[in-house]
Amino acid sequence: MNSYLIAYDVDTTTDVPKSPSQVYADIKGKIESFPVHGQLTESCWLILSTATHVAIRDALKGVMRSSDRLLVLKSAKVAAWHNLKTDAKWVRDNI
């Protein structure tokens, strides 16, 4: 199993197509479906999984809206992300 860090931001400025509280609940439920998981901060989790970082990102994106933000990091500089505030090139160069 590999260790992954999951961090996300839910866009609280919109409730389309679903409310931020529903998005939080859906993300939490999806993360808690992994057998080994721990909540590190309000929106940062650590999980163990045999899935890839891309598969984990895609599973979580399935319960998020396009304006929400998501980062999935494998324990050693392997990452997949969606809609970060920081420039993608900077993230690739500095992760």
mmCIF file of all heavy atoms in Angstrom, residues 45-77:
data_model
loop_
_atom_site.group_PDB
_atom_site.id
_atom_site.type_symbol
_atom_site.label_atom_id
_atom_site.label_comp_id
_atom_site.label_asym_id
_atom_site.label_seq_id
_atom_site.Cartn_x
_atom_site.Cartn_y
_atom_site.Cartn_z
ATOM 1 N N TRP A 45 -6.283 15.014 4.637
ATOM 2 C CA TRP A 45 -6.376 13.637 5.106
ATOM 3 C C TRP A 45 -5.157 12.845 4.676
ATOM 4 O O TRP A 45 -4.514 13.181 3.676
ATOM 5 C CB TRP A 45 -7.600 12.962 4.497
ATOM 6 C CG TRP A 45 -8.912 13.512 4.933
ATOM 7 C CD1 TRP A 45 -9.459 14.725 4.594
ATOM 8 C CD2 TRP A 45 -9.864 12.879 5.769
ATOM 9 N NE1 TRP A 45 -10.683 14.876 5.166
ATOM 10 C CE2 TRP A 45 -10.969 13.752 5.893
ATOM 11 C CE3 TRP A 45 -9.908 11.657 6.411
ATOM 12 C CZ2 TRP A 45 -12.088 13.437 6.643
ATOM 13 C CZ3 TRP A 45 -11.021 11.338 7.150
ATOM 14 C CH2 TRP A 45 -12.100 12.222 7.268
ATOM 15 N N LEU A 46 -4.869 11.766 5.375
ATOM 16 C CA LEU A 46 -3.859 10.798 4.979
ATOM 17 C C LEU A 46 -4.568 9.463 4.805
ATOM 18 O O LEU A 46 -5.359 9.058 5.668
ATOM 19 C CB LEU A 46 -2.777 10.682 6.054
ATOM 20 C CG LEU A 46 -1.602 9.775 5.718
ATOM 21 C CD1 LEU A 46 -0.783 10.375 4.570
ATOM 22 C CD2 LEU A 46 -0.719 9.580 6.935
ATOM 23 N N ILE A 47 -4.319 8.802 3.672
ATOM 24 C CA ILE A 47 -4.906 7.485 3.434
ATOM 25 C C ILE A 47 -3.815 6.525 2.986
ATOM 26 O O ILE A 47 -2.766 6.946 2.510
ATOM 27 C CB ILE A 47 -6.026 7.515 2.372
ATOM 28 C CG1 ILE A 47 -5.472 7.868 0.986
ATOM 29 C CG2 ILE A 47 -7.151 8.438 2.779
ATOM 30 C CD1 ILE A 47 -6.428 7.566 -0.151
ATOM 31 N N LEU A 48 -4.080 5.247 3.141
ATOM 32 C CA LEU A 48 -3.262 4.191 2.558
ATOM 33 C C LEU A 48 -4.121 3.499 1.524
ATOM 34 O O LEU A 48 -5.290 3.195 1.778
ATOM 35 C CB LEU A 48 -2.801 3.193 3.619
ATOM 36 C CG LEU A 48 -1.891 3.731 4.709
ATOM 37 C CD1 LEU A 48 -1.522 2.609 5.675
ATOM 38 C CD2 LEU A 48 -0.643 4.367 4.136
ATOM 39 N N SER A 49 -3.529 3.254 0.344
ATOM 40 C CA SER A 49 -4.312 2.660 -0.736
ATOM 41 C C SER A 49 -3.399 1.991 -1.747
ATOM 42 O O SER A 49 -2.250 2.395 -1.927
ATOM 43 C CB SER A 49 -5.133 3.744 -1.441
ATOM 44 O OG SER A 49 -5.868 3.197 -2.509
ATOM 45 N N THR A 50 -3.946 0.987 -2.426
ATOM 46 C CA THR A 50 -3.240 0.375 -3.549
ATOM 47 C C THR A 50 -3.567 1.112 -4.850
ATOM 48 O O THR A 50 -2.935 0.860 -5.874
ATOM 49 C CB THR A 50 -3.627 -1.112 -3.698
ATOM 50 O OG1 THR A 50 -5.045 -1.208 -3.849
ATOM 51 C CG2 THR A 50 -3.169 -1.915 -2.493
ATOM 52 N N ALA A 51 -4.533 2.014 -4.821
ATOM 53 C CA ALA A 51 -4.904 2.808 -6.007
ATOM 54 C C ALA A 51 -3.801 3.818 -6.323
ATOM 55 O O ALA A 51 -2.988 4.161 -5.464
ATOM 56 C CB ALA A 51 -6.220 3.535 -5.762
ATOM 57 N N THR A 52 -3.786 4.315 -7.546
ATOM 58 C CA THR A 52 -2.830 5.348 -7.922
ATOM 59 C C THR A 52 -3.332 6.715 -7.480
ATOM 60 O O THR A 52 -4.523 6.884 -7.184
ATOM 61 C CB THR A 52 -2.614 5.398 -9.448
ATOM 62 O OG1 THR A 52 -3.830 5.854 -10.065
ATOM 63 C CG2 THR A 52 -2.207 4.040 -9.999
ATOM 64 N N HIS A 53 -2.422 7.672 -7.464
ATOM 65 C CA HIS A 53 -2.799 9.045 -7.117
ATOM 66 C C HIS A 53 -3.829 9.585 -8.106
ATOM 67 O O HIS A 53 -4.733 10.300 -7.731
ATOM 68 C CB HIS A 53 -1.558 9.950 -7.048
ATOM 69 C CG HIS A 53 -0.739 9.966 -8.277
ATOM 70 N ND1 HIS A 53 0.024 8.888 -8.683
ATOM 71 C CD2 HIS A 53 -0.565 10.916 -9.217
ATOM 72 C CE1 HIS A 53 0.628 9.182 -9.814
ATOM 73 N NE2 HIS A 53 0.291 10.405 -10.158
ATOM 74 N N VAL A 54 -3.703 9.213 -9.374
ATOM 75 C CA VAL A 54 -4.653 9.664 -10.399
ATOM 76 C C VAL A 54 -6.028 9.043 -10.155
ATOM 77 O O VAL A 54 -7.049 9.730 -10.241
ATOM 78 C CB VAL A 54 -4.123 9.335 -11.815
ATOM 79 C CG1 VAL A 54 -5.178 9.631 -12.872
ATOM 80 C CG2 VAL A 54 -2.839 10.113 -12.094
ATOM 81 N N ALA A 55 -6.077 7.761 -9.824
ATOM 82 C CA ALA A 55 -7.363 7.093 -9.547
ATOM 83 C C ALA A 55 -8.039 7.694 -8.313
ATOM 84 O O ALA A 55 -9.259 7.880 -8.296
ATOM 85 C CB ALA A 55 -7.151 5.592 -9.365
ATOM 86 N N ILE A 56 -7.241 8.030 -7.290
ATOM 87 C CA ILE A 56 -7.800 8.658 -6.089
ATOM 88 C C ILE A 56 -8.348 10.034 -6.431
ATOM 89 O O ILE A 56 -9.460 10.384 -6.041
ATOM 90 C CB ILE A 56 -6.736 8.738 -4.972
ATOM 91 C CG1 ILE A 56 -6.359 7.320 -4.518
ATOM 92 C CG2 ILE A 56 -7.240 9.569 -3.802
ATOM 93 C CD1 ILE A 56 -5.095 7.252 -3.685
ATOM 94 N N ARG A 57 -7.587 10.819 -7.190
ATOM 95 C CA ARG A 57 -8.065 12.141 -7.624
ATOM 96 C C ARG A 57 -9.370 12.019 -8.402
ATOM 97 O O ARG A 57 -10.334 12.739 -8.139
ATOM 98 C CB ARG A 57 -7.014 12.834 -8.496
ATOM 99 C CG ARG A 57 -7.490 14.208 -8.978
ATOM 100 C CD ARG A 57 -6.904 14.665 -10.289
ATOM 101 N NE ARG A 57 -7.042 13.694 -11.344
ATOM 102 C CZ ARG A 57 -6.249 13.671 -12.413
ATOM 103 N NH1 ARG A 57 -5.280 14.552 -12.565
ATOM 104 N NH2 ARG A 57 -6.419 12.762 -13.348
ATOM 105 N N ASP A 58 -9.415 11.101 -9.348
ATOM 106 C CA ASP A 58 -10.614 10.947 -10.178
ATOM 107 C C ASP A 58 -11.824 10.523 -9.353
ATOM 108 O O ASP A 58 -12.938 10.999 -9.585
ATOM 109 C CB ASP A 58 -10.352 9.960 -11.307
ATOM 110 C CG ASP A 58 -9.379 10.510 -12.351
ATOM 111 O OD1 ASP A 58 -9.087 11.729 -12.333
ATOM 112 O OD2 ASP A 58 -8.893 9.714 -13.169
ATOM 113 N N ALA A 59 -11.618 9.653 -8.361
ATOM 114 C CA ALA A 59 -12.728 9.219 -7.494
ATOM 115 C C ALA A 59 -13.269 10.399 -6.696
ATOM 116 O O ALA A 59 -14.490 10.571 -6.575
ATOM 117 C CB ALA A 59 -12.260 8.107 -6.563
ATOM 118 N N LEU A 60 -12.375 11.231 -6.168
ATOM 119 C CA LEU A 60 -12.818 12.391 -5.386
ATOM 120 C C LEU A 60 -13.442 13.465 -6.269
ATOM 121 O O LEU A 60 -14.424 14.102 -5.878
ATOM 122 C CB LEU A 60 -11.655 12.956 -4.578
ATOM 123 C CG LEU A 60 -11.187 12.048 -3.434
ATOM 124 C CD1 LEU A 60 -9.863 12.529 -2.880
ATOM 125 C CD2 LEU A 60 -12.239 11.973 -2.349
ATOM 126 N N LYS A 61 -12.880 13.686 -7.463
ATOM 127 C CA LYS A 61 -13.468 14.667 -8.387
ATOM 128 C C LYS A 61 -14.911 14.319 -8.714
ATOM 129 O O LYS A 61 -15.719 15.209 -8.987
ATOM 130 C CB LYS A 61 -12.664 14.735 -9.690
ATOM 131 C CG LYS A 61 -11.511 15.693 -9.653
ATOM 132 C CD LYS A 61 -10.730 15.718 -10.956
ATOM 133 C CE LYS A 61 -11.577 16.032 -12.168
ATOM 134 N NZ LYS A 61 -10.792 16.076 -13.424
ATOM 135 N N GLY A 62 -15.238 13.035 -8.656
ATOM 136 C CA GLY A 62 -16.592 12.588 -8.962
ATOM 137 C C GLY A 62 -17.651 13.116 -8.005
ATOM 138 O O GLY A 62 -18.830 13.133 -8.349
ATOM 139 N N VAL A 63 -17.248 13.551 -6.796
ATOM 140 C CA VAL A 63 -18.215 14.092 -5.836
ATOM 141 C C VAL A 63 -18.032 15.591 -5.639
ATOM 142 O O VAL A 63 -18.722 16.199 -4.817
ATOM 143 C CB VAL A 63 -18.149 13.356 -4.467
ATOM 144 C CG1 VAL A 63 -18.479 11.884 -4.644
ATOM 145 C CG2 VAL A 63 -16.806 13.555 -3.786
ATOM 146 N N MET A 64 -17.103 16.188 -6.399
ATOM 147 C CA MET A 64 -16.816 17.621 -6.263
ATOM 148 C C MET A 64 -17.413 18.405 -7.432
ATOM 149 O O MET A 64 -17.807 17.816 -8.441
ATOM 150 C CB MET A 64 -15.302 17.842 -6.223
ATOM 151 C CG MET A 64 -14.615 17.160 -5.057
ATOM 152 S SD MET A 64 -12.829 17.326 -5.091
ATOM 153 C CE MET A 64 -12.671 18.942 -4.331
ATOM 154 N N ARG A 65 -17.452 19.725 -7.263
ATOM 155 C CA ARG A 65 -17.872 20.607 -8.348
ATOM 156 C C ARG A 65 -16.620 21.147 -9.043
ATOM 157 O O ARG A 65 -15.526 21.094 -8.482
ATOM 158 C CB ARG A 65 -18.711 21.758 -7.784
ATOM 159 C CG ARG A 65 -19.960 21.256 -7.064
ATOM 160 C CD ARG A 65 -20.541 22.256 -6.136
ATOM 161 N NE ARG A 65 -19.517 22.711 -5.208
ATOM 162 C CZ ARG A 65 -19.668 23.755 -4.407
ATOM 163 N NH1 ARG A 65 -20.787 24.433 -4.408
ATOM 164 N NH2 ARG A 65 -18.720 24.128 -3.581
ATOM 165 N N SER A 66 -16.769 21.672 -10.239
ATOM 166 C CA SER A 66 -15.608 22.139 -11.005
ATOM 167 C C SER A 66 -14.881 23.296 -10.331
ATOM 168 O O SER A 66 -13.689 23.501 -10.573
ATOM 169 C CB SER A 66 -16.020 22.538 -12.423
ATOM 170 O OG SER A 66 -16.928 23.624 -12.384
ATOM 171 N N SER A 67 -15.540 24.042 -9.459
ATOM 172 C CA SER A 67 -14.905 25.173 -8.776
ATOM 173 C C SER A 67 -14.199 24.777 -7.474
ATOM 174 O O SER A 67 -13.501 25.595 -6.875
ATOM 175 C CB SER A 67 -15.938 26.265 -8.488
ATOM 176 O OG SER A 67 -16.969 25.755 -7.660
ATOM 177 N N ASP A 68 -14.366 23.530 -7.024
ATOM 178 C CA ASP A 68 -13.670 23.050 -5.840
ATOM 179 C C ASP A 68 -12.232 22.700 -6.205
ATOM 180 O O ASP A 68 -11.922 22.456 -7.370
ATOM 181 C CB ASP A 68 -14.386 21.809 -5.267
ATOM 182 C CG ASP A 68 -15.819 22.105 -4.857
ATOM 183 O OD1 ASP A 68 -16.078 23.223 -4.369
ATOM 184 O OD2 ASP A 68 -16.678 21.223 -5.039
ATOM 185 N N ARG A 69 -11.335 22.686 -5.206
ATOM 186 C CA ARG A 69 -9.916 22.431 -5.450
ATOM 187 C C ARG A 69 -9.498 21.132 -4.771
ATOM 188 O O ARG A 69 -9.983 20.804 -3.696
ATOM 189 C CB ARG A 69 -9.070 23.585 -4.918
ATOM 190 C CG ARG A 69 -9.428 24.903 -5.552
ATOM 191 C CD ARG A 69 -8.556 26.038 -4.999
ATOM 192 N NE ARG A 69 -9.055 27.336 -5.364
ATOM 193 C CZ ARG A 69 -8.993 27.870 -6.583
ATOM 194 N NH1 ARG A 69 -8.434 27.203 -7.558
ATOM 195 N NH2 ARG A 69 -9.484 29.070 -6.826
ATOM 196 N N LEU A 70 -8.541 20.416 -5.399
ATOM 197 C CA LEU A 70 -8.127 19.111 -4.898
ATOM 198 C C LEU A 70 -6.658 18.869 -5.197
ATOM 199 O O LEU A 70 -6.177 19.177 -6.284
ATOM 200 C CB LEU A 70 -8.969 18.010 -5.557
ATOM 201 C CG LEU A 70 -8.592 16.563 -5.278
ATOM 202 C CD1 LEU A 70 -8.767 16.227 -3.804
ATOM 203 C CD2 LEU A 70 -9.437 15.649 -6.152
ATOM 204 N N LEU A 71 -5.937 18.302 -4.219
ATOM 205 C CA LEU A 71 -4.539 17.900 -4.386
ATOM 206 C C LEU A 71 -4.370 16.522 -3.764
ATOM 207 O O LEU A 71 -4.791 16.284 -2.631
ATOM 208 C CB LEU A 71 -3.613 18.902 -3.690
ATOM 209 C CG LEU A 71 -2.129 18.572 -3.650
ATOM 210 C CD1 LEU A 71 -1.538 18.594 -5.058
ATOM 211 C CD2 LEU A 71 -1.395 19.546 -2.755
ATOM 212 N N VAL A 72 -3.769 15.586 -4.512
ATOM 213 C CA VAL A 72 -3.453 14.247 -4.014
ATOM 214 C C VAL A 72 -1.959 14.033 -4.206
ATOM 215 O O VAL A 72 -1.469 14.116 -5.330
ATOM 216 C CB VAL A 72 -4.248 13.153 -4.763
ATOM 217 C CG1 VAL A 72 -3.862 11.767 -4.264
ATOM 218 C CG2 VAL A 72 -5.748 13.376 -4.638
ATOM 219 N N LEU A 73 -1.234 13.787 -3.108
ATOM 220 C CA LEU A 73 0.216 13.593 -3.161
ATOM 221 C C LEU A 73 0.587 12.195 -2.697
ATOM 222 O O LEU A 73 0.201 11.791 -1.609
ATOM 223 C CB LEU A 73 0.937 14.587 -2.239
ATOM 224 C CG LEU A 73 0.924 16.052 -2.607
ATOM 225 C CD1 LEU A 73 1.543 16.872 -1.477
ATOM 226 C CD2 LEU A 73 1.680 16.276 -3.887
ATOM 227 N N LYS A 74 1.357 11.477 -3.508
ATOM 228 C CA LYS A 74 1.955 10.229 -3.049
ATOM 229 C C LYS A 74 3.134 10.606 -2.174
ATOM 230 O O LYS A 74 3.726 11.665 -2.329
ATOM 231 C CB LYS A 74 2.404 9.387 -4.241
ATOM 232 C CG LYS A 74 2.868 8.011 -3.864
ATOM 233 C CD LYS A 74 3.219 7.203 -5.087
ATOM 234 C CE LYS A 74 3.801 5.867 -4.664
ATOM 235 N NZ LYS A 74 4.338 5.159 -5.821
ATOM 236 N N SER A 75 3.511 9.757 -1.295
ATOM 237 C CA SER A 75 4.486 10.089 -0.261
ATOM 238 C C SER A 75 5.804 10.677 -0.759
ATOM 239 O O SER A 75 6.458 11.370 -0.013
ATOM 240 C CB SER A 75 4.762 8.859 0.603
ATOM 241 O OG SER A 75 5.242 7.811 -0.207
ATOM 242 N N ALA A 76 6.213 10.453 -2.004
ATOM 243 C CA ALA A 76 7.527 10.943 -2.442
ATOM 244 C C ALA A 76 7.460 11.632 -3.812
ATOM 245 O O ALA A 76 7.843 11.067 -4.828
ATOM 246 C CB ALA A 76 8.534 9.811 -2.475
ATOM 247 N N LYS A 77 6.982 12.852 -3.851
ATOM 248 C CA LYS A 77 7.025 13.734 -5.010
ATOM 249 C C LYS A 77 6.244 13.256 -6.234
ATOM 250 O O LYS A 77 6.558 13.629 -7.353
ATOM 251 C CB LYS A 77 8.471 14.027 -5.402
ATOM 252 C CG LYS A 77 9.214 14.801 -4.342
ATOM 253 C CD LYS A 77 10.532 15.296 -4.872
ATOM 254 C CE LYS A 77 11.210 16.141 -3.825
ATOM 255 N NZ LYS A 77 12.254 16.948 -4.363
#
